[in-house]
Structure formats: structure tokens, C-alpha cells
Amino acid sequence: MKMTSPKTLVVIIAIIVAFYSFAPTIVKAESDEKIKKIESFIEEQRAISKIPGLSLVIVEKGKTVYQRGFGYADVISKTPVTSNTLFELGSTSKAFTGLAILQLEKEGLLKRSDDVRKYIPWLKLKYNEEPQSITINQLLYHTSGISTYTIADIPESNESNALELTVKKLLEKPLNRIPGSSYEYATLNYDVLGLVIEKVSKQPFEKFIKQHILEPTDMKDTFVGLHQVKSADMASGYKLGLMREQRYTPPIYRGNVPAGYVISNTNDIAKWLNLQLGSNQIDSIDKKIIQESHITDQSVEPFDTDTYYASGWGVMEKDRNQYIFHAGENPTFTSYFIMQPNEQLGVAVLANMNTTYTTAIGQGVMDLWEGKNANNIQSGGPGKMDKIVTFLCVTVIGFGIFFSILLLKTLRKIVRKQSIKASLNIKRILLFFIHSLIVATILTLTNMFPKFLGYNWTFMKVWGPTSITVLFYSVIVTSVIYYLLGLLHILTKKTHT
């Protein structure tokens, strides 16, 4: 066999040394290019969506590879968003509750196959007037049959018994389907699980989560419920209204904490993502339990293309990769977490506005970091609704101004004796009833409109754009002005000069 000459070996070694010398520079250049694209993408989408502020973190193989705040935690004071800024997580809180249930099962304190009435005996729910058995698994996987629309029944409360009051609201509603038959997302499923955790552990939900999840994970800046927050780093919440951000303070729903009111920042969420990805090993939290929380229920149809629900997470197959994700939405905050376990890659976006753009931004950032193109984002959800409602507001207020001018002119004629009281006849009486019926119909339909969507006006005012409230009162005021105008025309006549 022919031996390689010393000169050739020197050349080969030089090439190898040169490659490894330049490799970090190449990787850094690629990373810098990704970051530029991500930052440009976020600023563009934030401008379109009118999100006041958001915080982003990307973790990869156990390290935080990118973290930055964009915009303002408070618009009026111009307080910038930082990695310390606290946000309500919304439904990304559900994964904490799901993990707690699995921890209790590991301790032998419950079984997921158990009927929930074993722990909450009075929770007797029916479908078509027939009593039903609901398992803890069915609550975890949103296959309990509890309706999506029960979110509108969550009571406003900051009392210590708010969780039980919230779950008791389910007694007033029938199930929407047979338990275990199909998927239907209902936030109250996780409030029921929160109450199960309290009954089994014999301690408040927030205390259990703090002791068994937050403290072992060193999530020192994460709080379970707004009533626990004692920090100046809390962001102000906003929602859209009349085509711009509007600061809004919603009612307190302490009974919805297990499903939507964990408060955190991207410093702590980075630790949470690494825990989920297996990069952050915690002695008191079994890695197998974390993995088990990502196992989906495939006994029902997927809720989206190749996407099933696990214990507080959605899991989808895309481009031969698995992605674990969840979105969170509260009246004035949103969040989105997405992970790619094969690469130990995770992205989290926290925003201080109720908007569907937060989810789209999180998905776009993941795509850009993976070297793909971010999909074009179409406005939807509250943003699209606000545009429609704002147009209706302008139209209704325009009619209101027009009717007001006519009403003032009519009143002036009466004052000047140019119009006088007319005697009632069959025609005028008939006109009076028709006019009254038209206005009554408008007001009734306005009041009933949310019911056609499965909600009520209280829910719409809290969760919808502020323009909805403006429209509601605009319709009432305009209808009253129109009614008075019509009434004066029916009951008066011109004087003959």
C-alpha cells in the first residue's frame, strides 16, 4: 500500500485546522443573520398588530440563545419590556396543572382513569338528561364533553373559594357531548383539575404548584394567580379598540387560575422550556413524567391536521418533525410556546395584548430559526373583529348625529309654534305602534346578539375589543334618538300660515 507523504499530511492537517478555526465564525454569522430576520419580522408584525410590548426567548440544547423585549410594558410611562417583565400566560398555564396531576398520580394519590366524582362527589354532570361519568384523563384531553362556551360563566371573584365557585357553575349547564367521544376545548376542564389537585393534596392549588413545580425549577419570578403578584415588573394589559391599543383592566377571575392565570417572564419560561425538552434535569421532577405529559390522546379525531392534545400541550407532526406547542389568551394578554424536541429547541412569546398575532409570531420565529421562511400572517381574531365593529360604530354614530340634527330641528319648530300637537287617529296610532315595534326589535336584537354566538354581553365586553362596548351604547343612544324623533313626527303636525 502506498504511504501518504509527510507533505500531503501537513496539507490535510492544515485544512482541518483551518476548517475548525472558521466554523464558529460561520455558525455565528448564520445565527446573526437569523436574529436580524427575526427582529425585523417581529417589528413588522408588532406594527401591524399594534401589540404594545412583547418578550421573546429562544432556547436550544439547554442554553438561552436569544432573548429580547420589544416595545412597552406600559405605553403611557414608556416602560420598556425586558426579560424581567411579567405577563399573564393565559392557557399556556394549563401545562403546569397537567404536570401536577401526573405528579399526584406518581405519588399514588390518584389515577387518571378515576371518575372525577371520586374527588368532587357533587360534580354530577349530564348529557341529554342522563348522568355521565367523566375521568381525569378526559378532563386533561378536553374530551369531557364540557362546552367551550362555559368560559362565559366563570364568575368574577378574588375570594379564596373562587375555584370551587367556578366549578359549581358547571352544574347549571348540560354537557355538549358524551364524555370520551370527541375533542372540544373547554378552559374549565383545567379548573376542575385544579380543584381535584386541592382536594387530593389538601392544600391550595397555588401552594401545590409553587412547592412541586416552581421552586424545584427555580422559577422565582413566576406566580400562580394575580393575587400572588407583588412586583413592579408586571406589564399593563391592553386590547384593541377603535383601531388602536386601549389599556384595560378586566375583572379578576381567581377561579380560573389553574387554566389561565400563571404569571411569568421569559427568564423563567426559558427554564420551563428546558425542563420540557429534557435539558434541565430536576431531581424532584421525574423526566418520565415530563415525557408522559407530551403523550397525546389519539382515541379521538385530531383537533387540527396531524395534531392531538396531551396534558396541557398540543402535539403535531410537521415536515417529519414533532412540535409541542400551546397558545394562551386572556382578556389583555397572550402567549405562545412551541418546541421541537429532536433539536431541543424552544420558542416562547409573551405579549401584553389580546391578539392572534402572538401565536403567528411564535410560529414565524420558530420557522426563521429553523432556516425556513415565515408564513404571511393574516389579521384575524380580535383585530379583524375590531375593524368590523369600528366601521359599524362610525356608521351608527353617523346616523345618531343625523337623527340628532333632525330632532333639534323638530324641537325648534315646536318651540316656534311651527308644529303643533296633532289629534290622534287610526293612522297615527298605527304609525306609533309600528315605530315602537321597530325600535323595540332593534334594542332586543342588540341585547340578544351575544346569545346567538353562545356568550353574553358581559363576556363580550371583557374579551372583545373595546369598540364592542362603544357599539353597544351607540346603538342604544341612536335608537332612543330615532324613537323620539319619530314620536314627535307622529304626534305633531305643521301649522298652516
Side-chain angles (χ1 to χ4, degrees):
M1 187 171 89
K2 188 177 180 180
M3 299 292 290
T4 304
S5 68
K7 185 176 181 180
T8 303
L9 285 173
V10 170
V11 172
I12 293 172
I13 292 169
I15 291 170
I16 294 172
V17 171
F19 174 79
Y20 281 103
S21 296
F22 284 111
T25 304
I26 294 169
V27 171
K28 186 178 185 304
E30 289 179 352
S31 178
D32 289 346
E33 184 63 26
K34 287 179 183 178
I35 288 170
K36 284 180 182 178
K37 287 183 179 180
I38 287 170
E39 291 178 346
S40 175
F41 169 73
I42 289 177
E43 291 293 6
E44 176 188 337
Q45 299 306 322
R46 199 172 70 82
I48 295 170
S49 64
K50 298 177 176 61
I51 295 175
L54 63 83
S55 188
L56 168 69
V57 66
I58 304 173
V59 298
E60 190 170 27
K61 294 179 173 60
K63 296 180 180 179
T64 297
V65 293
Y66 181 76
Q67 187 173 21
R68 185 185 158 187
F70 298 80
Y72 299 112
D74 185 87
V75 173
I76 295 174
S77 66
K78 302 295 183 187
T79 305
V81 172
T82 70
S83 60
N84 296 317
T85 303
L86 295 169
F87 297 80
E88 295 176 16
L89 297 188
S91 288
T92 49
S93 304
K94 288 180 170 66
F96 292 87
T97 302
L99 179 58
I101 288 290
L102 296 181
Q103 287 177 316
L104 289 171
E105 184 178 49
K106 186 191 176 187
E107 293 172 19
L109 297 176
L110 60 77
K111 292 180 181 179
R112 282 178 289 161
S113 57
D114 288 339
D115 188 320
V116 69
R117 289 173 296 184
K118 180 177 180 179
Y119 310 102
I120 312 175
W122 47 262
L123 190 61
K124 300 173 182 178
L125 304 181
K126 297 180 180 180
Y127 175 74
N128 286 345
E129 300 300 328
E130 292 291 329
Q132 299 294 319
S133 172
I134 298 173
T135 67
I136 291 174
N137 252 342
Q138 289 164 350
L139 293 164
L140 280 169
Y141 297 142
H142 293 293
T143 59
S144 66
I146 294 172
S147 170
T148 297
Y149 300 109
T150 52
I151 188 174
D153 302 316
I154 298 172
E156 300 176 18
S157 177
N158 195 28
E159 300 300 320
S160 58
N161 67 336
L163 181 55
E164 185 164 312
L165 293 176
T166 297
V167 175
K168 281 185 175 178
K169 282 288 182 179
L170 292 172
L171 298 173
E172 303 169 11
K173 300 284 184 179
L175 295 174
N176 212 28
R177 57 195 72 209
I178 296 173
S181 63
S182 58
Y183 172 92
E184 181 178 1
Y185 188 93
T187 197
L188 264 77
N189 281 315
Y190 276 71
D191 293 328
V192 177
L193 292 172
L195 188 56
V196 168
I197 290 167
E198 288 197 344
K199 299 293 185 182
V200 172
S201 67
K202 295 180 172 55
Q203 60 183 154
F205 173 80
E206 52 267 30
K207 188 174 181 180
F208 183 90
I209 297 296
K210 183 178 180 180
Q211 289 181 353
H212 292 79
I213 298 176
L214 301 184
E215 288 179 351
T217 317
D218 195 33
M219 296 175 70
K220 297 177 181 177
D221 295 323
T222 299
F223 305 91
V224 187
L226 287 166
H227 60 289
Q228 297 285 333
V229 179
K230 296 176 179 64
S231 172
D233 290 318
M234 186 72 202
S236 299
Y238 296 83
K239 59 181 181 174
L240 281 172
L242 304 175
M243 311 292 286
R244 56 163 293 172
E245 78 280 349
Q246 305 279 355
R247 184 168 177 173
Y248 176 72
T249 303
I252 293 175
Y253 299 107
R254 187 167 169 179
N256 193 220
V257 167
Y261 284 90
V262 171
I263 289 87
S264 191
N265 58 30
T266 49
N267 290 330
D268 275 7
I269 295 304
K271 299 171 185 176
W272 177 240
L273 294 180
N274 282 325
L275 177 67
Q276 299 297 321
L277 291 164
S279 306
N280 185 10
Q281 296 295 316
I282 308 294
D283 291 338
S284 60
I285 301 178
D286 192 339
K287 184 179 179 180
K288 290 182 180 179
I289 292 181
I290 297 294
Q291 293 171 340
E292 195 167 349
S293 72
H294 302 158
I295 297 174
T296 59
D297 174 21
Q298 297 191 22
S299 67
V300 296
E301 291 295 314
F303 67 86
D304 203 351
T305 306
D306 298 321
T307 308
Y308 295 87
Y309 204 84
S311 301
W313 295 103
V315 182
M316 66 177 169
E317 298 293 330
K318 179 183 175 185
D319 300 330
R320 298 182 180 180
N321 285 318
Q322 184 188 72
Y323 292 88
I324 301 169
F325 69 96
H326 211 290
E329 180 182 350
N330 279 356
T332 55
F333 289 88
T334 42
S335 67
Y336 187 73
F337 302 164
I338 183 167
M339 298 174 288
Q340 209 272 69
N342 292 341
E343 298 297 326
Q344 290 189 308
L345 173 64
V347 172
V349 182
L350 311 179
N352 59 346
M353 177 181 273
N354 181 330
T355 172
T356 55
Y357 274 88
T358 304
T359 292
I361 288 170
Q363 292 169 341
V365 169
M366 174 61 84
D367 286 339
L368 290 169
W369 192 262
E370 290 184 315
K372 306 172 188 175
N373 293 322
N375 294 325
N376 291 328
I377 297 177
Q378 301 294 324
S379 176
K384 187 174 183 180
M385 184 189 296
D386 181 56
K387 288 180 181 178
I388 295 170
V389 175
T390 299
F391 172 77
L392 292 174
C393 284
V394 172
T395 303
V396 172
I397 291 171
F399 275 111
I401 293 170
F402 175 68
F403 292 146
S404 296
I405 293 170
L406 293 180
L407 180 62
L408 290 173
K409 286 183 176 180
T410 303
L411 289 171
R412 187 176 65 178
K413 287 180 180 180
I414 293 172
V415 171
R416 292 181 176 182
K417 306 296 184 181
Q418 294 173 342
S419 292
I420 60 174
K421 182 180 178 183
S423 57
L424 288 178
N425 53 35
I426 294 176
K427 180 181 177 181
R428 292 184 186 278
I429 292 172
L430 185 61
L431 286 172
F432 170 75
F433 279 113
I434 292 173
H435 181 62
S436 298
L437 182 62
I438 290 171
V439 174
T441 301
I442 291 171
L443 293 174
T444 301
L445 289 175
T446 299
N447 188 53
M448 291 180 62
F449 173 72
K451 292 184 180 180
F452 298 138
L453 303 176
Y455 300 112
N456 53 52
W457 269 114
T458 300
F459 177 84
M460 296 287 282
K461 289 175 185 176
V462 172
W463 284 85
T466 56
S467 47
I468 284 183
T469 303
V470 175
L471 178 62
F472 177 75
Y473 289 111
S474 297
V475 170
I476 292 174
V477 172
T478 299
S479 297
V480 171
I481 294 170
Y482 171 71
Y483 184 72
L484 292 175
L485 175 64
L487 203 61
L488 289 178
H489 276 280
I490 292 169
L491 299 177
T492 62
K493 65 179 181 178
K494 291 182 180 179
T495 58
H496 297 288
T497 57

